[in-house]
Amino acid sequence: MESQIATDEQINDPGLFSPISVGPLNISHRVVLAPLTRMRTVSGSVPNDLMVKYYVQRSTPGGFLIAEATQVSSRGNGYFNSPGIFTDEQETGWKTLVEAVHAKGSLIFLQLYHAGRVSHSSLQPDDGLPLGPSVVPHQNVAGTPNGWEATTLNRMLEVDEIKETVKEFGKATARARAAGFDGVELHGANGYLVDQFLQNGSNKRTDSYGGSIENRSRFLLEVVEEMVNNWSGNRVAVRLSPSGRFNDMSDSDPLALFSYVTEQLNKFGLAYLHVIEPRVVGSYMEKEGIEPVASIHLRKIFKGRIIAAGGFDRDGAAAIIKKGHADLVAFGRHFIANPDLPYRYRHGLPLNPYDRETFYGGNEIGYLDYPFFQED
Ligand code: FNR
């Protein structure tokens, strides 16, 4: 339970409420909005007025928001009514949203993604098969026009298609920049295309994109390079879930894999590395007897800012910053239910509970109607 009355120490908390730089940006506090797919575009994957209001509600002067996973091409879609950034109309929709967030003084990155095998033919152009590094049967669902449905087994990407997909991330980066975003975060986490290449449970390729850790990391590194070439290193970030099992992921040696990836990322001078901690019960690899990999490990390797996420409350977030394993903390579910989360944390106020039923899809209910804290 959150306490009602904040101590002076909490109000002046040097961890959560002190400023910090991220790339060229000056951020005023460390309570970050995690990227959260909400499936509210209503049609055409174009950001709309509902979304503008949602992000504006969560904007604070000098605060930092990471906008939801946004597909870089129509083939990258895994969730009906999730946004894209590959058409002029989508770019324009984002531009309006970014301007509104900036007017509130907040900074905002866009998370770029490709769902890869976590998709369904009803979401694909021409009802085609989803794409993935290899064809490995898996237990996943996609958010289709008819609700949650088992994914359609993907086909394997040809090498020329891999190169084309890398380019799509570059084009999306250029569009995000044109839309006015402060930067872009590559979604390399949670079992989507980039992660599918990284982990050997889903990548069985025998060419230069599969096999060794170096080969499995090639796709991610080519994508990051392309993104950096379309903007600059300090405007690009990467999110990883080194211990995540979500979307049926597995790897035989995550510590070696993610240590290598992190080391390689140093050469780009990224804005930050975003690490999903092995804290969310039931979604990490510990059960298989594999030591979970967390920011505590990657901190020793990565020469830049680290955002940690996953299962944090105010005190847990303050603690990880104090210990030095991370610089900022991203909040998902609590930020969904509490548009004024930074204010509540700063003042030790109680939180609204979240409603899972309205996480994905629908209208303003469970999206725009969570109350701000009001003094009695
Ligand atoms: C997520 N998460 C997520 N992660 C991501 O990288 N891109 C995304 O678009 C989404 N979408 C998403 C939607 C919803 C409804 C939830 C609940 C989660 C994961 C999210 O960013 C975060 O890592 C987790 O929610 C764990 O953090 P909390 O909720 O424990 O603070």
Side-chain angles (χ1 to χ4, degrees):
M1 283 293 287
E2 302 280 339
S3 65
Q4 276 279 1
I5 303 162
T7 61
D8 285 351
E9 201 180 35
Q10 283 164 347
I11 290 170
N12 299 314
D13 190 334
L16 274 186
F17 291 99
S18 54
I20 187 163
S21 64
V22 168
L25 311 175
N26 293 317
I27 293 175
S28 64
H29 62 79
R30 321 289 181 95
V31 183
V32 175
L33 174 69
L36 294 157
T37 293
R38 305 300 308 277
M39 298 163 69
R40 294 301 207 282
T41 65
V42 185
S43 70
S45 298
V46 179
N48 58 11
D49 193 45
L50 271 186
M51 290 169 61
V52 173
K53 290 192 177 121
Y54 168 83
Y55 284 99
V56 165
Q57 281 186 343
R58 285 156 186 77
S59 297
T60 47
F64 186 51
L65 314 179
I66 306 167
E68 65 209 77
T70 296
Q71 50 267 13
V72 298
S73 66
S74 54
R75 290 201 167 280
N77 192 4
Y79 298 93
F80 183 58
N81 279 339
S82 62
I85 186 144
F86 53 90
T87 69
D88 290 348
E89 207 186 349
Q90 291 162 356
E91 185 185 314
T92 304
W94 282 119
K95 190 163 188 285
T96 305
L97 188 150
V98 171
E99 279 167 6
V101 166
H102 282 165
K104 298 276 283 188
S106 216
L107 300 157
I108 182 164
F109 269 41
L110 180 64
Q111 189 183 56
L112 300 182
Y113 106 117
H114 189 302
R117 71 180 192 177
V118 185
S119 185
H120 187 271
S121 52
S122 65
L123 297 167
Q124 293 290 317
D126 308 324
D127 287 336
L129 296 181
L131 304 172
S134 305
V135 183
V136 180
H138 54 95
Q139 301 291 321
N140 284 315
V141 290
T144 79
N146 300 315
W148 297 106
E149 289 192 58
T151 46
T152 312
L153 190 59
N154 61 283
R155 68 172 176 82
M156 190 180 106
L157 279 155
E158 303 295 337
V159 171
D160 60 332
E161 292 176 309
I162 295 177
K163 304 275 181 208
E164 214 175 286
T165 308
V166 168
K167 294 264 181 257
E168 288 170 357
F169 278 93
K171 287 182 197 153
T173 299
R175 283 191 181 272
R177 186 180 186 180
F181 278 99
D182 298 292
V184 280
E185 176 183 285
L186 172 64
H187 195 348
N190 295 349
Y192 300 105
L193 186 63
V194 173
D195 206 14
Q196 289 158 30
F197 269 93
L198 288 177
Q199 302 204 37
N200 58 16
S202 47
N203 184 344
K204 306 288 182 194
R205 299 181 75 95
T206 52
D207 60 12
S208 61
Y209 289 94
S212 66
I213 284 177
E214 288 79 358
N215 281 356
R216 283 184 276 128
S217 305
R218 191 177 311 284
F219 178 64
L220 176 144
L221 295 170
E222 287 184 359
V223 168
V224 173
E225 189 171 4
E226 187 73 14
M227 290 168 70
V228 167
N229 287 343
N230 277 276
W231 202 333
S232 63
N234 62 4
R235 298 286 185 163
V236 174
V238 173
R239 191 176 215 212
L240 299 173
S241 52
S243 296
R245 303 189 60 199
F246 181 62
N247 280 327
D248 216 359
M249 295 305 288
S250 63
D251 190 78
S252 56
D253 192 352
L255 183 59
L257 170 64
F258 288 97
S259 298
Y260 173 81
V261 170
T262 302
E263 175 66 49
Q264 292 298 306
L265 289 177
N266 279 329
K267 67 175 174 247
F268 298 107
L270 298 179
Y272 62 87
L273 178 66
H274 192 169
V275 182
I276 303 182
E277 298 286 283
R279 295 167 56 98
V280 185
V281 178
S283 68
Y284 59 90
M285 292 181 175
E286 202 174 41
K287 282 193 200 133
E288 294 173 3
I290 297 175
E291 192 197 354
V293 185
S295 61
I296 188 173
H297 301 97
L298 303 183
R299 179 63 136 186
K300 295 183 200 117
I301 302 169
F302 189 65
K303 297 183 173 51
R305 299 290 190 221
I306 289 190
I307 301 182
F312 284 97
D313 59 12
R314 183 194 59 203
D315 294 344
I320 194 169
I321 291 171
K322 201 165 183 185
K323 279 191 211 142
H325 302 155
D327 303 295
L328 304 98
V329 175
F331 297 88
R333 291 162 295 178
H334 288 322
F335 224 145
I336 286 176
N338 296 273
D340 53 353
L341 189 68
Y343 177 82
R344 290 179 190 243
Y345 278 164
R346 185 186 278 273
H347 297 286
L349 299 168
L351 301 186
N352 301 321
Y354 49 79
D355 171 22
R356 286 178 196 283
E357 297 300 312
T358 51
F359 276 176
Y360 299 102
N363 49 25
E364 69 279 5
I365 297 167
Y367 193 54
L368 299 180
D369 57 356
Y370 283 108
F372 284 68
F373 187 82
Q374 288 190 329
E375 302 289 345
D376 292 332

